[in-house]
């Protein structure tokens, strides 16, 4: 085997840098989330509920992530390891891919180390691969799609459009936002000589493959009234904060780390000067989409950066070739220094109060969603890992106040998929079921059978509940230190004898957001 940068090399030695750093990434992503006070993230609770109700679609995501979680839990059990091990493995796989791609683009050990180091030290990737969701799958699949485009050009292999289509179809079954990448790539193709591919029937056959793969989810969407479109519209118009265009760009720099800036800018420049300029233009198009849309979420285009890191590693390898070693050390030190500074924002390695102070010191406490209840000193991706066990304990204490007969008949109402998922999963051994909610897919799973004679309700106001039930009793007030404010001081009610048919009122309580 010959190395692309020079003489012969052993296959294992050629890839030793990405292999070592992939192993480091696996441990760095997995271990902090399994020790210490940080529990399951709010979305993980919901994904467990979805994995127990396999379907071809859900209100707020396609079916791939819940289906794979079902498999993981069957193999690894229903503990936290089943949630965190798969995404840590995905992070390691991405790290390995970045190193191999950097080598494909001409990087030697130094360039591979820089490319992998950029990924390892970026808070955005530490966050996204630190808990189970559809986001790690999306990032890996975006990177795979872009790598396929690179291979199509470098090997003059338009037959790989079929592979691109298959990957795009799988990506659509993981997260619908891959459409943004496809649109941006369309801009890049039309605006560059790569537009010749638009005349190649293999590109359109690939599009057909993608359409066939995503068809089951589209059929499900049509059968349920296209709930995901309603969800996306509500999330954009009602839920997410809107940032000025300049702040959108600044947020990208912060969450991908200022330390990686020399890598991905160099990668962008390298792609722009080659036959791959349509990929560079796609990145700029995505950035423009986000700035024009005042997008507050920095992860919307996270899947492009691994490819830019790989290209940047190859660029710096040639730039520093023959130079003094201190030039390599200086760039590496810049990368590592920012990685150390920002690590407490991406990894749960400090106590929550210390993390909150560190975030405040750095001025990085973003509010991605609107409302005073969504503003917290502890970053949301950490704050939403607290309070779940205490919530389950508080609901169980309320249940203990019921008679044995009532305990057999009681149903539970939760205001969001987080509380509902916590009761279903963490409260399973306590028998805290059935749980109902009008939030996202829980709404589709329906209300309890009427009549509702006794229920425990989390949240809500007394005056509203008194219109629905004959007897309303405050059991306790849930207190959760460090959690998101909207979940703190939430009342837990015992209600009896519904005045109305819950099934009749269910549609007006629908909450897709």
């Amino acid at each position: 085997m010959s190395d692309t940068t020079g003489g012969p090399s052993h296959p294992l030695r050629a890839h030793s840098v990405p292999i070592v750093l992939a192993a480091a990434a696996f441990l760095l992503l997995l271990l902090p989330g399994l020790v210490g006070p940080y529990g399951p993230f709010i979305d993980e609770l919901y994904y467990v509920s979805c994995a127990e109700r396999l379907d071809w679609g859900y209100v707020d995501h396609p079916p791939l992530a819940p289906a794979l979680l079902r498999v993981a839990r069957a193999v690894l059990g229903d503990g936290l390891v089943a949630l965190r091990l798969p995404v840590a493995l995905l992070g390691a796989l991405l790290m390995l891919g970045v190193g191999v791609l950097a080598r494909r683009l001409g990087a030697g050990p130094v360039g591979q180390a820089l490319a992998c180091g950029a990924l390892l030290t970026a808070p955005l990737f530490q966050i996204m691969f630190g808990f189970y969701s559809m986001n790690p799958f999306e990032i890996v699949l975006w990177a795979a799609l872009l790598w396929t485009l690179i291979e199509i050009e470098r090997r003059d292999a338009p037959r790989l459009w079929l592979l691109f289509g298959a990957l795009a179809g799988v990506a659509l079954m993981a997260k619908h936002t891959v459409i943004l990448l496809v649109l941006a790539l369309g801009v890049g193709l039309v605006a560059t000589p790569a537009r010749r591919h638009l005349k190649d029937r293999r590109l359109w056959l690939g599009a057909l493959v993608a359409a066939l793969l995503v068809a089951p989810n589209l059929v499900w969407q049509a059968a349920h009234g296209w709930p995901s479109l309603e969800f996306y519209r509500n999330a954009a118009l009602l839920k997410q904060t809107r940032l000025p265009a300049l702040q959108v760009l600044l947020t990208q720099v912060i969450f991908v780390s200022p330390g990686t800036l020399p890598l991905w800018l160099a990668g962008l420049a390298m792609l722009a000067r080659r036959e791959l300029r349509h990929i560079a233009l796609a990145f700029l198009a995505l950035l423009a989409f986000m700035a024009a849309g005042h997008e507050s979420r920095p992860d919307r285009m996270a899947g492009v950066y691994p490819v830019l890191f790989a290209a940047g590693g190859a660029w710096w390898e040639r730039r520093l070739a023959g130079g003094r070693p201190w030039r390599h050390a200086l760039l590496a030190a810049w990368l590592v220094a920012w990685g150390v500074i920002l690590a407490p924002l991406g990894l749960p390695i400090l106590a929550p109060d210390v993390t909150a102070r560190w975030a405040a010191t750095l001025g990085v406490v973003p509010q991605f969603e609107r409302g005073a209840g969504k503003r917290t000193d502890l970053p949301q991706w950490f704050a939403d890992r607290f309070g779940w066990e205490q919530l389950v304990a508080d609901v169980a204490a309320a249940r203990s106040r019921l008679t044995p007969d009532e305990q057999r008949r009681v149903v539970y109402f939760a205001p969001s998929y987080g509380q509902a998922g916590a009761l279903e999963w963490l409260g399973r051994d306590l028998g805290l079921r059935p749980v109902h909610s009008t939030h996202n897919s829980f709404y589709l799973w329906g209300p309890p059978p009427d009549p509702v004679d006794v229920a425990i309700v989390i949240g809500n106001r007394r005056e509203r509940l008194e219109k629905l039930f004959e007897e309303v009793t405050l059991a306790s007030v849930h207190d959760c230190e460090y959690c998101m404010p909207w979940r703190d001081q939430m009342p837990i009610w015992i209600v009896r004898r519904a005045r109305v048919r819950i099934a009749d009122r269910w549609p007006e309580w629908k909450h897709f957001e």
Side-chain angles (χ1 to χ4, degrees):
M1 179 179 181
S2 297
D3 193 295
T4 56
T5 59
S9 63
H10 188 277
L12 183 60
R13 188 164 60 250
H15 298 306
S16 60
V17 169
I19 289 173
V20 170
L21 289 178
F26 173 73
L27 296 176
L28 190 67
L29 294 170
L30 178 64
L31 296 181
L34 296 180
V35 299
Y38 295 85
F41 184 66
I42 184 172
D43 288 0
E44 291 178 307
L45 301 166
Y46 178 46
Y47 277 96
V48 169
S49 294
C50 292
E52 293 181 350
R53 301 172 174 90
L54 291 184
D55 206 339
W56 285 111
Y58 303 87
V59 168
D60 41 357
H61 55 263
L64 182 62
L68 294 177
L69 180 56
R70 179 72 167 263
V71 175
R73 299 182 84 224
V75 174
L76 301 172
D78 64 355
L80 204 56
V81 172
L83 290 160
R84 302 291 168 77
L85 182 63
V87 293
L89 285 172
L90 278 176
L93 176 64
L94 182 64
M95 180 72 69
L96 183 62
V98 166
V100 174
L101 179 58
R103 183 171 178 271
R104 286 280 297 140
L105 294 174
V110 172
Q112 292 175 54
L114 289 173
C116 293
L119 187 68
L120 190 65
T121 58
L124 181 59
F125 294 95
Q126 296 166 359
I127 295 168
M128 291 293 102
F129 288 87
F131 58 84
Y132 195 95
S133 75
M134 55 191 164
N135 296 314
F137 298 97
E138 177 193 39
I139 292 170
V140 169
L141 287 164
W142 276 42
L145 284 165
L146 292 171
W147 189 346
T148 303
L149 285 181
I150 290 172
E151 294 299 322
I152 288 172
E153 296 297 338
R154 288 174 58 84
R155 294 162 53 184
D156 189 23
R159 66 183 182 279
L160 291 179
W161 280 114
L162 295 173
L163 173 61
F164 184 92
L167 289 170
V170 174
L172 284 166
M173 292 294 270
K175 193 173 181 182
H176 294 133
T177 47
V178 73
I179 293 172
L180 295 176
L181 177 62
V182 173
L183 291 175
L185 288 172
V187 172
L189 287 172
V190 170
T192 66
R195 70 178 70 90
R196 71 185 185 280
H197 289 294
L198 296 175
K199 300 178 181 179
D200 194 316
R201 64 183 179 86
R202 285 164 290 193
L203 182 151
W204 299 107
L205 286 174
L208 178 60
V209 171
L212 291 173
L213 287 172
V214 78
N217 180 245
L218 296 179
V219 171
W220 181 93
Q221 292 284 342
H224 290 79
W226 301 97
S228 291
L229 293 181
E230 182 177 349
F231 165 78
Y232 294 135
R233 182 177 64 250
N234 290 344
L237 298 178
L238 304 176
K239 184 177 181 180
Q240 295 178 10
T241 56
R242 291 170 60 82
L243 299 180
L246 185 59
Q247 193 172 346
V248 171
L249 304 180
L250 181 61
T251 299
Q252 288 291 312
V253 172
I254 292 172
F255 277 87
V256 184
S257 175
T260 71
L261 198 61
L263 266 295
W264 64 262
L265 285 179
L268 186 64
M270 177 181 176
L271 295 178
R273 295 193 188 110
R274 290 190 173 190
E275 71 277 10
L276 306 172
R277 63 178 66 96
H278 54 294
I279 298 177
L281 190 56
F283 171 83
L284 296 176
L286 283 168
L287 207 54
F289 292 164
M290 292 189 63
H294 306 282
E295 177 62 61
S296 62
R297 290 275 301 269
D299 60 295
R300 296 302 190 205
M301 53 184 293
V304 180
Y305 288 103
V307 173
L308 295 183
F309 292 159
W315 188 92
W316 279 105
E317 177 87 25
R318 288 195 291 273
R319 182 75 174 176
L320 299 176
R324 298 178 180 178
W326 66 265
R327 298 173 65 188
H328 301 79
L330 187 62
L331 182 57
W334 168 261
L335 193 64
V336 171
W338 275 105
V340 171
I341 291 170
L342 296 177
L345 299 183
L347 298 167
I349 54 178
L350 299 179
D353 56 333
V354 179
T355 300
R357 289 196 297 271
W358 188 250
T361 299
L362 296 178
V364 184
V365 190
Q367 183 179 352
F368 298 131
E369 299 178 4
R370 302 177 190 179
K374 302 299 179 69
R375 186 178 297 115
T376 177
D377 294 333
L378 187 64
Q380 178 266 338
W381 52 91
F382 291 142
D384 267 333
R385 300 188 191 193
F386 285 96
W388 304 115
E389 291 83 1
Q390 185 59 50
L391 175 68
V392 169
D394 290 344
V395 172
R399 181 177 181 269
S400 69
R401 297 174 57 174
L402 304 178
T403 67
D405 181 58
E406 287 179 325
Q407 290 183 22
R408 286 190 294 270
R409 293 183 287 111
V410 67
V411 297
Y412 303 86
F413 292 100
S416 83
Y417 62 50
Q419 287 102 338
L423 296 185
E424 284 200 336
W425 177 28
L426 304 179
R428 174 173 300 158
D429 292 341
L430 300 174
L432 301 184
R433 289 195 176 202
V435 185
H436 301 274
S437 176
T438 57
H439 188 203
N440 291 0
S441 290
F442 269 95
Y443 169 81
L444 294 183
W445 299 332
D450 283 306
V452 175
D453 181 58
V454 58
I456 293 176
V457 180
I458 302 172
N460 227 308
R461 302 186 307 273
R462 177 185 289 273
E463 55 270 26
R464 186 184 183 197
L465 291 175
E466 287 177 341
K467 295 178 181 179
L468 301 173
F469 297 91
E470 293 181 9
E471 182 181 328
V472 178
T473 303
L474 179 64
S476 64
V477 176
H478 170 62
D479 175 74
C480 56
E481 188 179 15
Y482 303 124
C483 73
M484 293 296 289
W486 71 270
R487 293 196 287 112
D488 193 20
Q489 299 300 304
M490 188 165 281
I492 297 174
W493 308 92
I494 297 174
V495 299
R496 294 179 174 90
R497 297 180 298 280
R499 300 177 186 270
V500 300
R501 284 180 51 82
I502 299 300
D504 292 342
R505 303 294 297 273
W506 201 251
E508 66 186 75
W509 298 334
K510 180 174 66 172
H511 178 206
F512 288 179
E513 186 180 273

